[in-house]
């Protein structure tokens, strides 16, 4: 997804326009799956509140941060920094007593953090010193992702199935961001598959849909840290 976003951004796609397109595409695909499986979500206040908060923490916030920093740092570095999300998820989960303190997991978190810092901090590791502030700003994305992971586990409404949850979460974000993106004249749609940006937009949409189809099912079965 980051690679597709990088290609689309270099070809003129804005962070908001790209995210709005991804959310719309994924919401339609997962909505169709939910209809076929007869698992559409109930539009209760509890479900809508859950989807809105989880969407801001787990999708809109981190993706806007990521797509903005992608204009300034390589996609590979973005991927490395985002790899902090599992460790941060475990740390937050321990804080809220969703997970128990385990030496092996804590060691993994610390080693992962040390590995990311070893890549980012030494002089000459980044292509340009001016990229360091953007690389550090990118840390906000995995922090938001981690908060979203734990929130989805703690606040998951009773009876809400994974496909229904994914459909509602993506739809609430798309309903908000697509009109905003259109109003600001930044919304992106692939027109042909003859240009790199259009291929990247289609790829980002497909990957986003596949990711959320699997991620919610995995989280419901294995919890925030496993997901």
């Amino acid at each position: 997804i980051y690679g597709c976003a990088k290609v689309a951004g270099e070809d003129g796609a804005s962070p908001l326009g790209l995210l709005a397109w991804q959310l719309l595409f994924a919401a339609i695909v997962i909505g169709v799956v939910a209809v076929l499986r007869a698992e559409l979500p109930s539009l209760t206040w509890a479900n809508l509140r859950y989807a809105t908060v989880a969407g801001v923490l787990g999708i809109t916030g981190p993706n806007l941060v990521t797509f903005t920093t992608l204009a300034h740092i390589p996609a590979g570095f973005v991927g490395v920094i985002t790899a902090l999300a599992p460790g941060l998820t475990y740390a937050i989960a321990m804080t809220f007593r969703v997970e128990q303190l385990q030496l092996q997991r804590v060691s993994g978190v610390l080693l992962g953090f040390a590995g990311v810092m070893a890549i980012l901090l030494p002089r000459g590791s980044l292509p340009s010193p001016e990229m360091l502030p953007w690389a550090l700003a990118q840390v906000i994305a995995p922090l938001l992702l981690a908060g979203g992971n734990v929130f989805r586990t703690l606040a998951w409404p009773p009876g809400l199935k994974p496909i229904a949850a994914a459909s509602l979460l993506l739809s609430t974000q798309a309903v908000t961001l697509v009109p905003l993106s259109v109003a600001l004249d930044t919304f992106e749609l692939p027109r042909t598959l003859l240009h790199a940006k259009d291929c990247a937009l289609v790829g980002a949409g497909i990957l986003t849909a596949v990711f959320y189809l699997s991620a919610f099912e995995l989280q419901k079965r294995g919890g925030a840290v496993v997901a």
Side-chain angles (χ1 to χ4, degrees):
I1 294 176
Y2 299 147
C4 291
K6 183 72 171 179
V7 171
E10 289 177 344
D11 210 4
S14 73
L16 178 60
L18 176 59
L19 179 58
W21 153 254
Q22 279 184 256
L23 291 172
L24 179 62
F25 185 95
I28 291 172
V29 170
I30 296 179
V32 169
V33 174
V35 169
L36 293 175
R37 294 178 57 172
E39 293 184 9
L40 282 172
S42 300
L43 299 181
T44 63
W45 168 245
N47 286 352
L48 289 171
R49 180 181 58 188
Y50 168 80
T52 301
V53 176
V56 171
L57 287 174
I59 298 178
T60 302
N63 277 300
L64 283 176
V65 170
T66 296
F67 294 162
T68 300
T69 60
L70 273 171
H72 304 278
I73 57 177
F77 281 102
V78 170
V80 168
I81 297 168
T82 306
L84 288 170
L88 292 172
T89 299
Y90 182 53
I92 295 173
M94 283 196 301
T95 301
F96 286 94
R97 298 183 180 180
V98 177
E99 294 279 343
Q100 299 297 318
L101 178 65
Q102 295 181 23
L103 180 60
Q104 188 176 25
R105 287 191 170 191
V106 172
S107 299
V109 169
L110 295 176
L111 285 172
F113 183 76
V116 172
M117 292 302 102
I119 291 173
L120 294 179
L121 295 182
R123 182 174 297 179
S125 60
L126 289 169
S128 169
E130 288 76 19
M131 292 182 180
L132 182 58
W134 292 104
L136 295 177
Q138 176 59 27
V139 176
I140 297 171
L143 184 60
L144 289 171
L145 283 170
N149 289 339
V150 176
F151 175 81
R152 287 197 301 271
T153 293
L154 289 175
W156 196 297
L160 185 64
K161 295 184 178 180
I163 293 297
S167 174
L168 188 58
L169 186 146
L170 290 164
S171 296
T172 57
Q173 300 306 296
V175 165
T176 302
L177 292 186
V178 171
L180 177 61
S181 179
V182 170
L184 296 175
D185 196 27
T186 62
F187 187 65
E188 297 287 345
L189 277 175
R191 292 166 177 81
T192 69
L193 294 180
L194 301 177
H195 303 288
K197 181 172 77 172
D198 295 325
C199 292
L201 287 170
V202 172
I206 292 172
L207 290 169
T208 301
V210 172
F211 173 79
Y212 284 106
L213 277 171
S214 57
F216 275 76
E217 185 68 38
L218 181 59
Q219 177 150 4
K220 185 65 174 175
R221 291 172 180 268
V225 176
V226 171

